[in-house]
Amino acid sequence: MQTLNHIGIIALNTFRESIRDKILYNIGFLAIALTLFSIVLGEWSVFDRSYVIKSTTLSVMSLSGLLISIFVGISLVQKEIQRRTVLTLLSKPISRVAFIVGKYFGLLAVVIVHLCLLTAIYYCILWVTNSGPTLSLLTAIYLIFCEMAVIIAVALLFSSFSSTILSALFTLGVYFAGHLSDQLLEQVRFASRMGELHSTSSAILEKAAVVIHAVFPGLYRYNVTNYVVHGVALPDMYLFWNSIYALGYIGVFLGVASWWFSRRDFL
């Protein structure tokens, strides 16, 4: 119970600290501006205006969440280390695991507020432009939240043992690998079937693609924009299993981050 109290206190302080960060407001204003600009893109595009507005706004939500995770999330631990305030904090009866988990939930709360704000603006735009606001769009927004929950855990993992710049690069690498791993595996297998690769090279590349696909979180699972925009139903239990999938990776990343952070010597 005491550990939960510590996690709650750290999460609350992290949330308060993060919402005062100027970078957060810059990202938020940029996301809102791009969301509003989707109306103009819809008018200019040769495609259906409703499709452009919906797909553009969902993409803005995902990218802005990524930016918050990187520029705000990574700095959470690094600031504590650089300012040496982590020594004062950890000198108290607070475990390092509680510190990492509290930081995680504090930033997760920031992302939730950010997504809720963009969702409200999103539905207002759809209502004003008569673009068919539907509740099914909340499915895509929920999966974006799951994706960001994983990315925040990744950012905290790297920031627990690496510098700010390297942590940002590593997090970006995981993000792109998670989105492209499925396509990479398909392309390698297709090239192998078509005989475009030497047998030895094909086997090595396919094994590498399989490892990347298995190790990195499959973030492509959370991009369901085409489904919800076109009104196509997702497979049964899709939300449930992918929520469990996200929780599994979050648990692994936070577990490794807590273990590594517990081994660090700040003196």
Side-chain angles (χ1 to χ4, degrees):
M1 182 61 69
Q2 190 69 19
T3 301
L4 293 178
N5 290 334
H6 291 160
I7 291 175
I9 293 172
I10 294 173
L12 180 59
N13 290 332
T14 300
F15 178 80
R16 290 174 175 173
E17 179 184 355
S18 298
I19 60 175
R20 292 194 295 264
D21 197 322
K22 293 181 180 179
I23 295 178
L24 177 64
Y25 289 100
N26 291 333
I27 295 173
F29 287 138
L30 177 62
I32 293 173
L34 291 176
T35 301
L36 296 174
F37 187 66
S38 66
I39 301 175
V40 179
L41 291 178
E43 297 294 338
W44 290 349
S45 176
V46 296
F47 299 102
D48 179 62
R49 182 182 66 175
S50 175
Y51 170 80
V52 173
I53 293 175
K54 292 177 180 179
S55 60
T56 300
T57 305
L58 290 175
S59 298
V60 169
M61 287 185 179
S62 179
L63 291 176
S64 61
L66 172 65
L67 293 177
I68 291 175
S69 301
I70 292 178
F71 291 106
V72 180
I74 290 175
S75 65
L76 289 178
V77 177
Q78 292 298 325
K79 284 181 180 179
E80 299 282 0
I81 296 175
Q82 292 171 2
R83 297 173 181 172
R84 313 298 288 178
T85 53
V86 67
L87 298 177
T88 303
L89 187 62
L90 295 180
S91 64
K92 300 177 181 180
I94 298 177
S95 68
R96 299 194 181 193
V97 175
F99 177 81
I100 291 293
V101 175
K103 290 288 184 181
Y104 174 80
F105 282 111
L107 183 57
L108 191 64
V110 173
V111 172
I112 290 174
V113 172
H114 175 74
L115 289 179
C116 287
L117 176 62
L118 289 184
T119 300
I121 297 173
Y122 185 24
Y123 272 89
C124 288
I125 291 174
L126 294 178
W127 178 72
V128 171
T129 58
N130 294 319
S131 298
T134 59
L135 291 177
S136 62
L137 294 172
L138 294 177
T139 301
I141 297 173
Y142 169 74
L143 290 174
I144 289 173
F145 164 72
C146 291
E147 177 187 13
M148 291 305 104
V150 175
I151 291 298
I152 293 172
V154 172
L156 285 178
L157 167 61
F158 290 127
S159 66
S160 67
F161 66 86
S162 186
S163 64
T164 302
I165 296 177
L166 289 178
S167 298
L169 293 176
F170 291 152
T171 304
L172 279 174
V174 172
Y175 177 82
F176 287 115
H179 276 282
L180 300 176
S181 60
D182 189 50
Q183 297 181 24
L184 174 64
L185 182 59
E186 289 181 1
Q187 292 297 324
V188 170
R189 287 176 173 173
F190 176 77
S192 178
R193 289 194 301 268
M194 298 300 293
E196 297 179 3
L197 298 174
H198 189 270
S199 58
T200 304
S201 300
S202 175
I204 295 175
L205 287 175
E206 185 169 351
K207 287 182 180 180
V210 169
V211 170
I212 292 174
H213 187 270
V215 172
F216 288 93
L219 300 179
Y220 60 87
R221 300 166 179 262
Y222 302 104
N223 183 11
V224 294
T225 299
N226 289 331
Y227 282 88
V228 299
V229 169
H230 294 292
V232 180
L234 293 171
D236 293 337
M237 304 292 287
Y238 190 88
L239 292 180
F240 175 77
W241 289 118
N242 281 285
S243 298
I244 299 298
Y245 181 85
L247 287 174
Y249 269 101
I250 291 169
V252 170
F253 289 137
L254 289 182
V256 175
S258 300
W259 172 79
W260 191 277
F261 193 73
S262 298
R263 293 171 59 87
R264 290 194 62 175
D265 185 6
F266 298 105
L267 297 178

